Amino acid sequence: MRNIQKKMSTLHVFMTKYICVLLLAFTAHSGFSQNATKYSNEFLQIGVGARSLAMGGCMIASADDVYAGYWNPAGLVGIKNNAQVALMHASYFAGIANYDYGAWATKTGEKGALGISLVRFGVDGIANTFDLIRNGEIDYTRVTTFNTTDFAVLLSYAQTEDFKSMRNIDFSWGGNMKIIRRKVGPFAKATGFGFDVGFKFANTKKDWALGIVVRDATSTFNSWRYTFTDAQKDVLAATQNAIPKNTLEITLPRILGGFAKTWKNDNWSLLTELDANITFDGKRNTLVKTNLLSIDPYIGGEVGYHISDNNKLYFRAGANNFQHYTNKNGKRVPSIMPNVGIGITLGKFTLDYALTNLSAVAGSGPALYSNIFSLKLAIDKESK
Protein backbone atom coordinates (compact mmCIF):
# COMPACT_ATOMS: atom_id res chain seq x y z
CA MET A 1 0.00 0.00 0.00
CA ARG A 2 2.97 2.35 -0.33
CA ASN A 3 1.45 3.68 -3.55
CA ILE A 4 -1.50 4.96 -1.52
CA GLN A 5 0.86 6.73 0.86
CA LYS A 6 2.66 8.44 -2.02
CA LYS A 7 -0.58 9.62 -3.62
CA MET A 8 -1.73 11.06 -0.28
CA SER A 9 1.37 13.25 -0.03
CA THR A 10 1.95 14.52 -3.58
CA LEU A 11 -1.20 15.68 -5.40
CA HIS A 12 -2.92 17.95 -2.87
CA VAL A 13 -5.05 20.95 -3.70
CA PHE A 14 -5.96 24.34 -2.54
CA MET A 15 -5.01 27.94 -1.80
CA THR A 16 -4.52 31.07 0.25
CA LYS A 17 -5.83 33.88 2.34
CA TYR A 18 -6.32 37.55 1.42
CA ILE A 19 -3.45 39.92 2.26
CA CYS A 20 -2.95 43.64 1.84
CA VAL A 21 0.84 43.62 2.15
CA LEU A 22 3.43 40.97 1.34
CA LEU A 23 4.67 41.11 4.93
CA LEU A 24 1.82 38.84 5.99
CA ALA A 25 3.07 36.15 3.65
CA PHE A 26 6.49 36.11 5.27
CA THR A 27 4.88 36.16 8.73
CA ALA A 28 2.87 33.07 7.84
CA HIS A 29 5.99 31.43 6.40
CA SER A 30 8.01 31.90 9.57
CA GLY A 31 5.14 30.80 11.80
CA PHE A 32 4.21 27.57 10.01
CA SER A 33 7.37 26.50 8.19
CA GLN A 34 8.08 23.63 10.56
CA ASN A 35 4.67 22.01 9.92
CA ALA A 36 4.38 22.80 6.21
CA THR A 37 4.49 20.24 3.42
CA LYS A 38 6.99 21.25 0.77
CA TYR A 39 5.17 19.88 -2.25
CA SER A 40 1.58 20.42 -1.14
CA ASN A 41 -1.26 21.11 -3.60
CA GLU A 42 1.04 20.63 -6.57
CA PHE A 43 -1.82 19.85 -8.96
CA LEU A 44 -2.75 23.53 -8.82
CA GLN A 45 0.71 24.39 -10.20
CA ILE A 46 0.26 22.42 -13.45
CA GLY A 47 -1.31 25.31 -15.34
CA VAL A 48 -4.42 25.73 -17.49
CA GLY A 49 -5.04 26.76 -21.07
CA ALA A 50 -3.10 25.46 -24.08
CA ARG A 51 -2.02 29.03 -24.89
CA SER A 52 -0.12 29.50 -21.65
CA LEU A 53 1.24 25.93 -21.59
CA ALA A 54 2.64 26.39 -25.11
CA MET A 55 4.39 29.54 -23.85
CA GLY A 56 6.09 27.65 -21.05
CA GLY A 57 3.56 28.68 -18.42
CA CYS A 58 4.04 32.42 -18.96
CA MET A 59 0.77 34.22 -18.26
CA ILE A 60 1.17 36.22 -15.04
CA ALA A 61 1.50 39.55 -16.87
CA SER A 62 -0.35 38.97 -20.14
CA ALA A 63 -3.48 37.19 -18.83
CA ASP A 64 -6.47 39.33 -19.80
CA ASP A 65 -9.31 36.87 -20.37
CA VAL A 66 -11.22 34.12 -18.56
CA TYR A 67 -7.97 32.19 -17.90
CA ALA A 68 -6.79 35.06 -15.69
CA GLY A 69 -8.93 33.63 -12.90
CA TYR A 70 -6.26 30.95 -12.56
CA TRP A 71 -3.09 32.82 -13.54
CA ASN A 72 -3.62 36.33 -12.18
CA PRO A 73 -7.11 37.37 -11.06
CA ALA A 74 -6.23 41.04 -11.60
CA GLY A 75 -6.24 40.35 -15.36
CA LEU A 76 -9.96 39.54 -15.43
CA VAL A 77 -10.73 43.23 -15.95
CA GLY A 78 -9.22 42.87 -19.44
CA ILE A 79 -12.20 40.84 -20.68
CA LYS A 80 -13.61 42.63 -23.71
CA ASN A 81 -16.86 40.65 -23.89
CA ASN A 82 -19.89 40.44 -21.65
CA ALA A 83 -18.75 36.96 -20.61
CA GLN A 84 -16.29 34.21 -21.55
CA VAL A 85 -16.28 30.44 -21.06
CA ALA A 86 -13.20 28.16 -21.19
CA LEU A 87 -12.73 24.37 -21.16
CA MET A 88 -9.66 22.12 -21.14
CA HIS A 89 -8.94 18.42 -20.82
CA ALA A 90 -5.52 16.78 -20.63
CA SER A 91 -4.31 13.22 -20.03
CA TYR A 92 -0.96 12.77 -18.33
CA PHE A 93 1.37 9.80 -17.87
CA ALA A 94 -0.05 7.66 -20.71
CA GLY A 95 -3.63 8.34 -19.63
CA ILE A 96 -3.16 7.31 -16.00
CA ALA A 97 -4.09 10.80 -14.74
CA ASN A 98 -6.77 13.12 -16.10
CA TYR A 99 -6.74 16.88 -15.67
CA ASP A 100 -9.92 18.88 -16.32
CA TYR A 101 -10.59 22.60 -16.16
CA GLY A 102 -13.61 24.80 -16.74
CA ALA A 103 -14.12 28.51 -16.13
CA TRP A 104 -16.61 31.33 -16.60
CA ALA A 105 -16.02 35.06 -16.18
CA THR A 106 -18.06 38.20 -16.74
CA LYS A 107 -17.81 41.96 -16.43
CA THR A 108 -19.58 43.63 -13.51
CA GLY A 109 -19.48 47.12 -14.94
CA GLU A 110 -16.77 49.32 -16.37
CA LYS A 111 -14.28 48.62 -13.59
CA GLY A 112 -15.06 45.18 -12.19
CA ALA A 113 -15.09 41.51 -13.20
CA LEU A 114 -15.77 38.22 -11.49
CA GLY A 115 -15.33 34.59 -12.39
CA ILE A 116 -15.38 31.00 -11.24
CA SER A 117 -12.86 28.28 -12.14
CA LEU A 118 -13.10 24.52 -11.57
CA VAL A 119 -10.00 22.31 -11.52
CA ARG A 120 -9.96 18.53 -11.16
CA PHE A 121 -7.01 16.13 -11.15
CA GLY A 122 -7.85 12.44 -10.89
CA VAL A 123 -6.26 9.00 -11.04
CA ASP A 124 -8.79 6.21 -11.62
CA GLY A 125 -8.67 2.43 -11.27
CA ILE A 126 -6.09 2.13 -8.46
CA ALA A 127 -5.89 -1.45 -7.17
CA ASN A 128 -7.10 -2.01 -3.59
CA THR A 129 -5.17 -5.05 -2.33
CA PHE A 130 -6.14 -4.83 1.34
CA ASP A 131 -8.21 -8.03 1.06
CA LEU A 132 -5.92 -9.87 -1.37
CA ILE A 133 -4.68 -12.30 1.28
CA ARG A 134 -7.13 -13.83 3.72
CA ASN A 135 -6.29 -16.69 6.08
CA GLY A 136 -2.98 -17.11 4.28
CA GLU A 137 -4.61 -17.61 0.87
CA ILE A 138 -4.31 -15.28 -2.15
CA ASP A 139 -7.56 -14.56 -3.95
CA TYR A 140 -7.40 -12.01 -6.78
CA THR A 141 -11.18 -11.85 -7.01
CA ARG A 142 -11.12 -9.83 -3.80
CA VAL A 143 -9.03 -7.07 -5.41
CA THR A 144 -11.15 -3.98 -6.02
CA THR A 145 -10.35 -0.52 -7.38
CA PHE A 146 -10.72 3.03 -6.13
CA ASN A 147 -10.13 6.57 -7.41
CA THR A 148 -8.16 9.50 -6.04
CA THR A 149 -9.35 12.99 -6.96
CA ASP A 150 -8.25 16.55 -6.25
CA PHE A 151 -10.91 19.20 -6.81
CA ALA A 152 -10.71 22.97 -6.42
CA VAL A 153 -13.14 25.84 -6.91
CA LEU A 154 -11.67 29.32 -7.45
CA LEU A 155 -13.99 32.29 -6.90
CA SER A 156 -12.38 35.39 -8.42
CA TYR A 157 -13.00 39.12 -8.31
CA ALA A 158 -11.01 41.93 -9.97
CA GLN A 159 -11.26 45.69 -10.17
CA THR A 160 -9.43 48.57 -11.81
CA GLU A 161 -8.35 51.67 -9.92
CA ASP A 162 -7.92 55.19 -11.29
CA PHE A 163 -4.81 57.03 -10.14
CA LYS A 164 -4.24 60.41 -11.76
CA SER A 165 -0.58 60.29 -10.79
CA MET A 166 -0.06 57.13 -12.89
CA ARG A 167 -0.21 58.48 -16.44
CA ASN A 168 -0.91 55.97 -19.21
CA ILE A 169 -0.71 53.10 -16.71
CA ASP A 170 -3.76 51.01 -15.87
CA PHE A 171 -3.70 49.40 -12.43
CA SER A 172 -5.91 46.52 -11.38
CA TRP A 173 -6.07 44.15 -8.45
CA GLY A 174 -7.87 40.88 -7.86
CA GLY A 175 -8.23 37.95 -5.52
CA ASN A 176 -9.18 34.27 -5.47
CA MET A 177 -10.98 32.42 -2.72
CA LYS A 178 -10.25 28.72 -3.14
CA ILE A 179 -12.25 25.82 -1.80
CA ILE A 180 -10.58 22.40 -1.90
CA ARG A 181 -11.97 18.90 -1.73
CA ARG A 182 -9.64 15.93 -1.90
CA LYS A 183 -10.48 12.24 -1.72
CA VAL A 184 -8.40 9.06 -1.80
CA GLY A 185 -10.97 6.30 -2.27
CA PRO A 186 -12.72 5.39 0.98
CA PHE A 187 -9.52 5.85 2.97
CA ALA A 188 -8.88 9.60 3.18
CA LYS A 189 -10.67 12.91 2.71
CA ALA A 190 -9.45 16.49 2.96
CA THR A 191 -11.19 19.84 2.98
CA GLY A 192 -9.41 23.17 2.71
CA PHE A 193 -9.60 26.79 1.74
CA GLY A 194 -7.25 29.62 0.92
CA PHE A 195 -6.74 32.90 -0.91
CA ASP A 196 -4.61 34.34 -3.72
CA VAL A 197 -4.08 38.01 -4.44
CA GLY A 198 -2.85 39.54 -7.69
CA PHE A 199 -1.83 42.93 -9.10
CA LYS A 200 -1.31 44.15 -12.65
CA PHE A 201 0.18 47.29 -14.19
CA ALA A 202 -0.32 47.86 -17.91
CA ASN A 203 0.83 50.63 -20.25
CA THR A 204 -1.49 50.60 -23.23
CA LYS A 205 0.58 53.09 -25.26
CA LYS A 206 3.90 51.28 -24.93
CA ASP A 207 2.27 47.83 -24.82
CA TRP A 208 3.93 46.41 -21.73
CA ALA A 209 2.46 44.78 -18.62
CA LEU A 210 3.75 43.82 -15.19
CA GLY A 211 2.00 41.23 -13.03
CA ILE A 212 2.51 40.04 -9.44
CA VAL A 213 0.63 37.19 -7.76
CA VAL A 214 0.92 35.89 -4.20
CA ARG A 215 -0.43 32.35 -4.06
CA ASP A 216 -1.28 30.84 -0.69
CA ALA A 217 -0.77 34.34 0.64
CA THR A 218 -1.15 33.57 4.34
CA SER A 219 -0.61 29.84 3.81
CA THR A 220 -3.26 27.32 2.80
CA PHE A 221 -4.63 24.73 5.20
CA ASN A 222 -5.91 21.23 4.35
CA SER A 223 -7.62 19.22 7.05
CA TRP A 224 -7.08 15.49 6.44
CA ARG A 225 -9.20 12.68 7.92
CA TYR A 226 -8.36 9.00 7.47
CA THR A 227 -10.73 6.04 7.74
CA PHE A 228 -9.36 2.50 8.04
CA THR A 229 -11.01 -0.60 9.41
CA ASP A 230 -9.27 -2.66 12.08
CA ALA A 231 -8.48 -5.32 9.47
CA GLN A 232 -6.93 -2.72 7.17
CA LYS A 233 -4.84 -1.33 10.02
CA ASP A 234 -3.56 -4.85 10.69
CA VAL A 235 -2.54 -5.16 7.02
CA LEU A 236 -0.72 -1.82 7.15
CA ALA A 237 1.13 -2.85 10.30
CA ALA A 238 2.03 -6.28 8.88
CA THR A 239 3.43 -4.71 5.69
CA GLN A 240 5.42 -2.12 7.68
CA ASN A 241 3.33 0.82 6.47
CA ALA A 242 2.62 3.63 8.89
CA ILE A 243 -1.04 4.15 9.81
CA PRO A 244 -1.90 7.76 8.85
CA LYS A 245 -3.39 10.04 11.48
CA ASN A 246 -5.72 12.98 11.06
CA THR A 247 -3.55 15.98 10.35
CA LEU A 248 -3.42 19.58 9.12
CA GLU A 249 -1.43 20.16 5.96
CA ILE A 250 -0.01 23.64 5.35
CA THR A 251 0.94 25.10 1.97
CA LEU A 252 3.41 27.97 2.22
CA PRO A 253 3.11 31.19 0.19
CA ARG A 254 4.84 31.69 -3.13
CA ILE A 255 5.29 34.80 -5.26
CA LEU A 256 4.94 34.80 -9.04
CA GLY A 257 6.04 37.76 -11.11
CA GLY A 258 5.97 38.44 -14.81
CA PHE A 259 6.79 41.10 -17.39
CA ALA A 260 5.31 41.10 -20.91
CA LYS A 261 6.00 43.27 -23.93
CA THR A 262 4.11 43.42 -27.24
CA TRP A 263 5.25 44.73 -30.63
CA LYS A 264 2.79 45.38 -33.47
CA ASN A 265 3.36 45.88 -37.19
CA ASP A 266 0.47 45.95 -39.66
CA ASN A 267 -1.23 42.56 -39.36
CA TRP A 268 1.51 41.00 -37.24
CA SER A 269 2.13 41.06 -33.50
CA LEU A 270 4.82 39.64 -31.21
CA LEU A 271 4.29 39.01 -27.51
CA THR A 272 7.16 37.99 -25.23
CA GLU A 273 6.98 37.30 -21.51
CA LEU A 274 9.38 36.38 -18.74
CA ASP A 275 8.00 34.97 -15.47
CA ALA A 276 9.51 33.77 -12.22
CA ASN A 277 8.10 31.45 -9.54
CA ILE A 278 9.64 32.23 -6.15
CA THR A 279 9.21 29.76 -3.26
CA PHE A 280 10.33 30.12 0.35
CA ASP A 281 10.48 26.51 1.58
CA GLY A 282 14.19 25.86 1.13
CA LYS A 283 16.20 24.56 -1.77
CA ARG A 284 14.42 23.10 -4.79
CA ASN A 285 15.84 21.77 -8.04
CA THR A 286 15.51 25.13 -9.81
CA LEU A 287 17.83 27.43 -11.73
CA VAL A 288 18.38 29.65 -8.68
CA LYS A 289 18.32 28.04 -5.24
CA THR A 290 19.41 29.19 -1.80
CA ASN A 291 18.61 28.19 1.75
CA LEU A 292 16.12 31.08 1.89
CA LEU A 293 14.35 30.87 -1.48
CA SER A 294 14.29 29.19 -4.89
CA ILE A 295 13.55 30.89 -8.22
CA ASP A 296 12.10 28.98 -11.17
CA PRO A 297 12.02 31.10 -14.38
CA TYR A 298 9.78 30.69 -17.44
CA ILE A 299 10.08 32.28 -20.85
CA GLY A 300 7.62 32.31 -23.74
CA GLY A 301 6.54 34.09 -26.90
CA GLU A 302 3.60 34.36 -29.27
CA VAL A 303 3.52 35.50 -32.90
CA GLY A 304 0.10 36.56 -34.09
CA TYR A 305 -1.24 37.10 -37.59
CA HIS A 306 -4.41 39.20 -37.59
CA ILE A 307 -6.42 38.18 -40.64
CA SER A 308 -9.18 40.56 -39.52
CA ASP A 309 -10.45 41.99 -36.25
CA ASN A 310 -12.26 38.75 -35.40
CA ASN A 311 -10.08 36.14 -37.14
CA LYS A 312 -6.53 35.54 -35.93
CA LEU A 313 -3.81 32.90 -36.09
CA TYR A 314 -1.10 32.37 -33.45
CA PHE A 315 2.22 30.50 -33.24
CA ARG A 316 3.70 29.96 -29.76
CA ALA A 317 6.79 28.58 -28.06
CA GLY A 318 8.22 28.60 -24.56
CA ALA A 319 10.61 26.93 -22.15
CA ASN A 320 10.52 26.10 -18.44
CA ASN A 321 11.83 23.56 -15.93
CA PHE A 322 15.41 24.83 -16.03
CA GLN A 323 17.08 22.16 -13.88
CA HIS A 324 20.16 20.02 -13.39
CA TYR A 325 20.10 16.24 -13.21
CA THR A 326 22.66 13.47 -12.81
CA ASN A 327 23.18 11.43 -15.98
CA LYS A 328 24.24 7.78 -16.23
CA ASN A 329 27.90 8.84 -16.04
CA GLY A 330 27.33 10.55 -12.70
CA LYS A 331 27.74 14.08 -14.08
CA ARG A 332 25.44 17.01 -13.32
CA VAL A 333 24.08 18.35 -16.60
CA PRO A 334 21.45 21.01 -17.34
CA SER A 335 18.00 20.24 -18.69
CA ILE A 336 15.13 22.25 -20.11
CA MET A 337 11.50 21.57 -21.04
CA PRO A 338 10.48 23.03 -24.43
CA ASN A 339 6.86 23.70 -25.41
CA VAL A 340 5.21 24.72 -28.69
CA GLY A 341 1.68 25.36 -29.85
CA ILE A 342 -0.73 27.13 -32.17
CA GLY A 343 -4.07 28.88 -31.80
CA ILE A 344 -6.86 30.16 -33.99
CA THR A 345 -9.65 32.64 -33.31
CA LEU A 346 -12.73 32.61 -35.52
CA GLY A 347 -15.23 35.20 -34.38
CA LYS A 348 -16.26 34.38 -30.80
CA PHE A 349 -14.58 30.96 -30.82
CA THR A 350 -10.92 30.26 -29.95
CA LEU A 351 -9.16 26.89 -30.18
CA ASP A 352 -5.65 26.49 -28.74
CA TYR A 353 -3.25 23.55 -28.96
CA ALA A 354 -0.03 22.86 -27.03
CA LEU A 355 2.63 20.17 -27.29
CA THR A 356 4.49 19.86 -24.01
CA ASN A 357 7.41 17.66 -23.02
CA LEU A 358 6.77 16.16 -19.61
CA SER A 359 10.11 14.34 -19.45
CA ALA A 360 11.98 17.63 -18.95
CA VAL A 361 15.32 15.82 -19.22
CA ALA A 362 17.21 16.03 -22.49
CA GLY A 363 18.80 12.76 -23.49
CA SER A 364 16.97 10.70 -20.87
CA GLY A 365 15.15 8.57 -23.41
CA PRO A 366 11.87 8.89 -25.33
CA ALA A 367 10.13 12.12 -24.41
CA LEU A 368 6.66 11.91 -22.86
CA TYR A 369 4.92 14.52 -24.98
CA SER A 370 1.38 15.56 -24.12
CA ASN A 371 -1.14 16.99 -26.58
CA ILE A 372 -3.34 19.59 -24.92
CA PHE A 373 -6.39 21.35 -26.36
CA SER A 374 -8.42 24.15 -24.82
CA LEU A 375 -11.48 26.06 -25.96
CA LYS A 376 -12.70 29.58 -25.28
CA LEU A 377 -16.06 31.07 -26.20
CA ALA A 378 -16.89 34.77 -26.00
CA ILE A 379 -20.48 35.81 -25.27
CA ASP A 380 -21.86 39.24 -26.11
CA LYS A 381 -25.41 40.41 -25.48
CA GLU A 382 -27.27 42.21 -28.22
CA SER A 383 -27.62 45.89 -27.39
CA LYS A 384 -31.10 47.38 -27.59
Side-chain angles (χ1 to χ4, degrees):
M1 298 306 297
R2 287 175 181 164
N3 289 336
I4 299 176
Q5 300 270 333
K6 292 180 180 179
K7 296 179 186 299
M8 290 179 179
S9 62
T10 56
L11 299 174
H12 307 159
V13 314
F14 121 50
M15 284 273 115
T16 346
K17 200 171 181 180
Y18 181 84
I19 60 170
C20 297
V21 292
L22 298 182
L23 179 61
L24 291 180
F26 294 99
T27 302
H29 168 255
S30 61
F32 300 119
S33 59
Q34 294 182 351
N35 298 322
T37 302
K38 189 166 187 175
Y39 295 100
S40 171
N41 302 327
E42 286 299 295
F43 85 100
L44 283 177
Q45 310 302 329
I46 294 176
V48 301
R51 179 196 180 197
S52 57
L53 295 176
M55 294 172 60
C58 291
M59 201 54 56
I60 300 301
S62 57
D64 59 358
D65 57 7
V66 62
Y67 293 105
Y70 173 91
W71 293 104
N72 184 353
L76 284 174
V77 296
I79 294 177
K80 298 178 177 60
N81 309 98
N82 295 117
Q84 291 182 355
V85 178
L87 296 172
M88 187 192 84
H89 171 76
S91 295
Y92 291 127
F93 313 116
I96 295 176
N98 292 295
Y99 188 68
D100 298 289
Y101 162 82
W104 169 86
T106 184
K107 301 281 286 188
T108 59
E110 294 182 359
K111 295 185 177 181
L114 58 85
I116 180 172
S117 305
L118 307 176
V119 180
R120 180 190 181 275
F121 188 93
V123 179
D124 303 323
I126 303 173
N128 177 7
T129 59
F130 266 121
D131 205 28
L132 174 63
I133 302 175
R134 185 186 298 175
N135 299 324
E137 296 182 356
I138 298 177
D139 186 354
Y140 289 99
T141 63
R142 292 194 293 264
V143 176
T144 59
T145 60
F146 66 93
N147 304 330
T148 174
T149 58
D150 297 321
F151 184 75
V153 179
L154 283 67
L155 303 175
S156 308
Y157 178 77
Q159 182 173 310
T160 59
E161 301 291 346
D162 294 329
F163 296 105
K164 295 182 179 180
S165 60
M166 299 174 62
R167 289 187 176 183
N168 300 325
I169 296 179
D170 297 328
F171 171 74
S172 61
W173 61 270
N176 288 334
M177 181 180 74
K178 292 184 278 188
I179 304 171
I180 312 296
R181 182 63 174 172
R182 182 128 193 272
K183 184 177 180 181
V184 181
F187 312 113
K189 296 180 181 180
T191 303
F193 71 95
F195 294 85
D196 300 333
V197 63
F199 307 92
K200 185 174 180 178
F201 302 85
N203 189 315
T204 55
K205 288 190 175 182
K206 297 185 178 180
D207 289 324
W208 61 261
L210 173 67
I212 300 174
V213 176
V214 183
R215 289 184 180 172
D216 307 306
T218 57
S219 295
T220 291
F221 305 90
N222 288 335
S223 178
W224 280 92
R225 293 186 175 275
Y226 300 92
T227 304
F228 292 97
T229 64
D230 292 337
Q232 291 170 346
K233 291 180 180 179
D234 292 339
V235 173
L236 290 174
T239 54
Q240 298 181 352
N241 284 278
I243 300 175
K245 297 181 180 179
N246 296 344
T247 185
L248 182 67
E249 182 183 73
I250 300 172
T251 306
L252 295 179
R254 67 175 65 203
I255 298 177
L256 296 93
F259 180 82
K261 171 66 177 174
T262 302
W263 291 269
K264 299 177 181 179
N265 183 15
D266 296 331
N267 294 336
W268 294 90
S269 65
L270 172 63
L271 166 67
T272 59
E273 181 167 345
L274 177 63
D275 289 2
N277 187 341
I278 306 173
T279 54
F280 302 91
D281 52 10
K283 286 186 177 182
R284 294 187 177 215
N285 188 13
T286 58
L287 188 64
V288 179
K289 47 186 175 290
T290 67
N291 292 328
L292 175 63
L293 56 85
S294 298
I295 302 177
D296 191 12
Y298 315 108
I299 187 170
E302 175 186 79
V303 176
Y305 177 66
H306 302 250
I307 304 171
S308 65
D309 292 340
N310 298 322
N311 302 305
K312 304 173 184 178
L313 184 64
Y314 298 97
F315 305 90
R316 305 177 180 117
N320 56 9
N321 251 342
F322 297 90
Q323 298 180 351
H324 288 82
Y325 75 101
T326 303
N327 62 14
K328 60 183 180 181
N329 296 324
K331 294 183 179 180
R332 295 280 292 175
V333 295
S335 68
I336 186 175
M337 187 170 87
N339 310 270
V340 295
I342 59 175
I344 184 171
T345 296
L346 298 174
K348 305 296 184 181
F349 178 80
T350 300
L351 172 65
D352 294 316
Y353 165 76
L355 180 65
T356 65
N357 176 8
L358 296 181
S359 69
V361 179
S364 62
L368 301 177
Y369 288 100
S370 287
N371 299 284
I372 299 174
F373 294 88
S374 64
L375 306 174
K376 184 177 72 172
L377 176 64
I379 303 172
D380 285 315
K381 296 180 180 179
E382 294 292 339
S383 59
K384 295 183 180 180

